Amino acid sequence: MSAGDERAARVRELLAEVLDVPLPSIGPGFSAATAGSWTSLNHLMLVSQLEGEFGVIFTNAEIGELTSFDRIVSALAQHLEPG
Amino acid sequence: MTPLPEFAGGSLTAVAAGVPPGSPWSTYQSAARKLDRIPAESVPEPLRARVAVLGSFTLEPFLSVLRVEGARAGLWIETYLAPYGQYLGELLDPASGLYRFRPHVTFLAIDGDVLWHQRWTENPPLLSEPVVGGLLTPLFAGLDVFDHAGTGIVVVNDFILPRRSTEGVNAFRSKGTFAHTVAHANKHLRLRLAARAHTFLFPLADLVAQVGRNHAFNWRTHYRGHVSWSDALMGAVAERYVGFALAALGKATKCIVLDLDNTLWGGVLGEEGPGGIALGHHWPGSEFVDFQRELLDLQRQGILLTVCSKNNEEEALAALRTHPAMLIREEHLAAYRINWEDKASNIRAIARELNIGLEHMLLIDDSPHERAWVREQLPELRIPEMPADPSLYAHWVGSLSSLIVLQHTAEDAQRTRQYQESRSREAYRGAVGSLEDFLRGLEIRVEIDLVGENSVGRVVQLLAKTNQFNLTTRRHDEPTIRRRASASEWRIYTMRVVDRFGDFGLTAVAIVSPGPDVWHLESFLMSCRVIGKSVETALLARVAADAREAGASALSAEFVDSGRNQVAAPFLANHGFTVGDDARWHRSLGASGPEWPGWVESITPTGVATIAARVES
């Protein structure tokens, strides 16, 4: 598994834990628009868990955009694979 | 209707086992959702704790952590969270959700900023101590309302300096610094909480220090959404909150079972001899002296110390009696089993001797092997993992949350002595013939009285802690007892028991609702320490005599099976009650009976306080 795949797997786990949704339902296309439990408070906690887990700090602009599995994975890639 | 799935006793601890302490919040969150899937109604009543949290910042995420830490201690925690920023409004309004929830424990999680921020920006610095004290007035107005209309205990955290000061190196010369404000506020808080019987101070500053200030707060979530506590602080606070909940429900530890070799002292006594064990003013040995000191502090609060150890009894007792550096002496022990038999059987024997349920006992043993064995044999017993390094014992024991003692009465301080007197009674029982001869020889005297100012605290404590001889196991808090004590529709009887070996203190309570024709026993309970002396018959006889004198013709009562009170099950039938269609028990009073036991002498109440003040003030 590549580093990117491992990251994506861990993101899926975190989303499942924080939002209380089954792991298989999370993948490309999973987003705040479709997950009812993706409330503003859960979003706040999700962002802080991602920051803690991956050792990154998201900017305010990024935080507003982290509203789907795909966007989270790509934002993490930008932080962790610079250049 | 679909029947509820059967509640599996281990499911709470099994869910918590998947969340090692120190886990990130997401792991707690996921486990809490697993707890949600256990239907609340399927959880037995004694395991359910209603915990209210009133905060001045966002605490929703914390509730998941609290529920999981509760499950780790075997509690199903139902939570109530006041609407954001409404903690004062909820306290001040007896019609609020808080009061309807009827909590066992209410935690106030307050950030000091909300109290003084406005003043601070308008008028820095806050020079005057009375001004700072005055900021707490609304909070105490709320606590006053809760005292009269609320339930359970209230726990309020102290205030903290959340970050390093930028007030400069000369700030220490001034009295108008942020540090002074916090110190003044804490002083007022402490004094004013201490004057109240069922409010407690939560040592948040202490927990923040333990977690480390740099790790205790998450400033990003604080500014983004008022979630101030870090994952680590949430875990530490939840664990301590659970300790208060256990104590409020009467589930705290009542008895500690101690090993000897490498637990109370270093080395193996049988091999190294009394001169060879590590115990004294210098290392190695000083760490064990400190550990013993902590244990004695717990003993002074009423937690019993016992020893269960594989040693030669004479040799071990000689060390306890004569080693110059030993702090825990034989007289501090309520019971001991020092022999080569297996520990589980020995601990069972100690439980029987002291009449304490295994779930109220905690084992401290350095051997992982012994801990594992006993854990397998006695799953109800609390057996915490302990550090391998004795230098950490004294610190570790202070972190055990089941060792919180809420009420501290004169009885607590004397309890070990009472159990030792009981040892003499057992020896005496062996030397006499019939049970009645035995009881006569004990010279039992009882003092029956109605509850008064100096016995309220003890009555509330007995209601909260008595599990075995208890007809209805109704827990009432102090405001309820005070209300009833002064209301004509209630009579609250107390009974003190003394025998030739010693004074048991106030050990039985009857709460009676005296109707014109029928007197109903709403609660009737007796400490397990006086079971087997027939003094319960004396108390019932007194209630019956009073009822007869007041013109009533019958008594009624209930027996509510709690799973723990089997010893009280035959009481009503044995005293002439029969069960009616309404599932209540009834007994016609007639001209006489139940008969006062011939071997019990009645002492007239002197009115002298037999109960000392409760919490230090």
Side-chain angles (χ1 to χ4, degrees):
Chain A
M1 215 171 3
S2 74
D5 290 343
E6 275 180 33
R7 237 175 7 239
R10 186 64 193 124
V11 169
R12 290 178 66 204
E13 280 172 14
L14 277 177
L15 281 165
E17 286 177 352
V18 172
L19 304 176
D20 191 33
V21 289
L23 201 56
S25 69
I26 302 170
F30 182 81
S31 79
T34 53
S37 57
W38 201 320
T39 60
S40 58
L41 183 59
N42 275 344
H43 184 69
L44 169 76
M45 296 307 289
L46 175 65
V47 169
S48 107
Q49 297 298 303
L50 289 166
E51 289 178 333
E53 174 77 23
F54 295 104
V56 299
I57 295 174
F58 294 113
T59 64
N60 288 354
E62 282 176 314
I63 289 171
E65 298 292 321
L66 294 173
T67 50
S68 72
F69 171 74
D70 302 313
R71 287 179 175 193
I72 292 171
V73 170
S74 73
L76 283 171
Q78 277 182 21
H79 275 267
L80 298 169
E81 296 167 21
Chain B
M1 218 172 83
T2 329
L4 288 170
E6 184 145 347
F7 178 78
S11 53
L12 292 178
T13 40
V15 169
V19 190
S23 293
W25 174 82
S26 55
T27 314
Y28 276 101
Q29 168 80 345
S30 166
R33 298 293 78 82
K34 284 183 197 148
L35 292 175
D36 290 346
R37 291 191 256 282
I38 303 172
E41 317 83 75
S42 76
V43 180
E45 187 61 34
L47 300 183
R48 293 164 71 162
R50 288 188 302 280
V51 175
V53 183
L54 313 184
S56 63
F57 48 97
T58 305
L59 283 155
E60 275 90 351
F62 170 70
L63 298 184
S64 297
V65 183
L66 180 60
R67 295 194 62 206
V68 173
E69 286 303 333
R72 200 186 303 287
L75 283 187
W76 168 269
I77 295 189
E78 286 173 67
T79 54
Y80 173 80
L81 183 66
Y84 180 81
Q86 300 284 301
Y87 73 96
L88 264 185
E90 290 269 315
L91 275 177
L92 287 165
D93 176 13
S96 70
L98 169 68
Y99 289 84
R100 285 197 301 278
F101 181 65
R102 301 187 59 76
H104 295 109
V105 195
T106 299
F107 292 102
L108 263 70
I110 325 173
D111 173 350
D113 279 0
V114 302
L115 296 182
W116 53 67
H117 183 71
Q118 198 57 31
R119 294 268 184 154
W120 189 253
T121 48
E122 282 170 4
N123 184 27
L126 288 176
L127 281 170
S128 148
E129 191 173 329
V131 171
V132 176
L135 294 177
L136 295 172
T137 299
L139 170 65
F140 279 91
L143 290 178
D144 280 342
V145 177
F146 196 78
D147 257 3
H148 289 101
T151 53
I153 61 165
V154 182
V155 185
V156 186
N157 64 263
D158 53 7
F159 301 114
I160 45 180
L161 267 176
R163 52 190 163 261
R164 284 176 69 181
S165 160
T166 49
E167 293 164 312
V169 292
N170 279 304
F172 76 95
R173 300 183 201 280
S174 151
K175 284 187 175 169
T177 66
F178 196 33
H180 275 97
T181 307
V182 171
H184 290 333
N186 279 333
K187 180 179 156 194
H188 281 273
L189 186 69
R190 188 172 58 75
L191 290 174
R192 291 167 77 171
L193 288 178
R196 313 164 81 93
H198 49 282
T199 46
F200 294 86
L201 184 67
F202 185 79
L204 184 63
D206 186 50
L207 284 189
V208 167
Q210 184 194 310
V211 171
R213 193 169 56 182
N214 289 349
H215 304 282
F217 302 98
N218 185 331
W219 295 112
R220 285 195 290 278
T221 51
H222 169 79
Y223 289 113
R224 289 171 190 166
H226 303 289
V227 180
S228 306
W229 291 349
S230 70
D231 294 9
L233 185 59
M234 284 198 248
V237 171
E239 204 187 322
R240 213 66 191 164
Y241 274 13
V242 168
F244 276 98
L246 285 171
L249 266 79
K251 290 176 173 296
T253 293
K254 296 175 179 173
C255 169
I256 297 175
V257 182
L258 294 160
D259 176 47
L260 293 177
D261 291 336
N262 289 315
T263 299
L264 279 198
W265 56 69
V268 177
L269 178 66
E271 288 170 13
E272 284 145 85
I277 58 174
L279 188 71
H281 296 300
H282 304 287
W283 184 84
S286 46
E287 68 277 38
F288 292 98
V289 173
D290 277 353
F291 180 49
Q292 292 197 13
R293 192 172 286 125
E294 299 292 328
L295 291 167
L296 282 180
D297 273 345
L298 293 167
Q299 195 245 2
R300 279 185 207 107
Q301 295 175 59
I303 293 175
L304 299 173
L305 299 182
T306 63
V307 162
C308 176
S309 166
K310 290 181 178 169
N311 288 83
N312 296 319
E313 183 179 296
E314 277 316 305
E315 203 177 6
L317 287 177
L320 286 166
R321 287 169 189 153
T322 61
H323 193 289
M326 193 78 66
L327 295 180
I328 295 181
R329 298 290 187 182
E330 191 185 358
E331 63 262 29
H332 297 117
L333 302 177
Y336 54 81
R337 290 289 183 282
I338 303 170
N339 54 47
W340 298 93
E341 287 159 37
D342 95 275
K343 287 214 169 183
S345 319
N346 275 328
I347 292 169
R348 261 194 222 103
I350 291 174
R352 267 198 307 276
E353 180 181 334
L354 301 181
N355 221 338
I356 288 181
L358 289 165
E359 71 279 15
H360 286 120
M361 297 170 76
L362 179 141
L363 174 65
I364 296 182
D365 194 315
D366 69 291
S367 155
H369 172 79
E370 292 286 13
R371 292 200 297 266
W373 160 254
V374 178
R375 199 173 280 138
E376 193 182 292
Q377 300 296 310
L378 308 173
E380 316 92 297
L381 198 69
R382 287 192 175 105
I383 310 179
E385 286 302 296
M386 63 188 290
D389 180 353
S391 323
L392 302 175
Y393 286 0
H395 287 269
W396 163 79
V397 74
S399 72
L400 295 173
S401 57
S402 79
L403 296 174
I404 289 182
V405 178
L406 293 182
Q407 294 224 1
H408 189 185
T409 65
E411 265 86 359
D412 295 326
Q414 290 205 1
R415 193 164 302 136
T416 296
R417 201 171 52 74
Q418 288 166 340
Y419 279 107
Q420 285 167 342
E421 286 158 359
S422 159
R423 262 188 243 158
S424 318
R425 283 183 200 99
E426 289 297 322
Y428 176 73
R429 188 198 289 264
V432 294
S434 78
L435 177 64
E436 189 172 331
D437 288 344
F438 166 70
L439 291 169
R440 277 189 194 287
L442 283 179
E443 299 167 13
I444 301 164
R445 283 152 288 156
V446 297
E447 178 184 312
I448 300 175
D449 200 353
L450 293 178
V451 67
E453 186 55 40
N454 52 16
S455 55
V456 166
R458 175 62 179 160
V459 165
V460 172
Q461 187 189 46
L462 275 174
L463 285 164
K465 290 171 62 167
T466 308
N467 293 315
Q468 299 186 74
F469 196 99
N470 195 335
L471 288 186
T472 54
T473 322
R474 292 195 174 107
R475 317 294 194 194
H476 295 301
D477 56 12
E478 185 162 333
T480 306
I481 295 302
R482 284 188 183 280
R483 259 199 314 279
R484 290 187 177 183
S486 54
S488 61
E489 59 266 36
W490 294 103
R491 285 173 76 83
I492 302 179
Y493 289 89
T494 64
M495 181 166 73
R496 176 179 154 223
V497 178
V498 184
D499 74 13
R500 63 182 280 203
F501 294 103
D503 188 342
F504 292 92
L506 202 163
T507 36
V509 174
I511 303 182
V512 180
S513 159
D517 195 42
V518 178
W519 281 31
H520 179 68
L521 305 181
E522 189 259 9
S523 292
F524 194 101
L525 55 107
M526 184 172 78
S527 160
C528 53
R529 285 183 275 139
V530 291
I531 287 177
K533 300 184 197 303
S534 303
V535 287
E536 63 276 24
T537 303
L539 181 56
L540 183 67
R542 166 65 187 276
V543 173
D546 286 356
R548 200 175 286 113
E549 199 181 306
S553 66
L555 295 179
S556 67
E558 293 157 84
F559 176 74
V560 182
D561 186 349
S562 69
R564 293 286 317 275
N565 59 349
Q566 287 315 306
V567 65
F571 173 73
L572 293 170
N574 287 348
H575 289 84
F577 285 78
T578 50
V579 69
D581 297 337
D582 54 358
R584 284 194 170 188
W585 291 75
H586 301 271
R587 185 193 198 281
S588 161
L589 280 170
S592 68
E595 219 168 287
W596 183 280
W599 52 86
V600 177
E601 189 193 330
S602 172
I603 327 174
T604 311
T606 55
V608 173
T610 54
I611 316 295
R614 34 193 172 272
V615 189
E616 284 179 11
S617 49

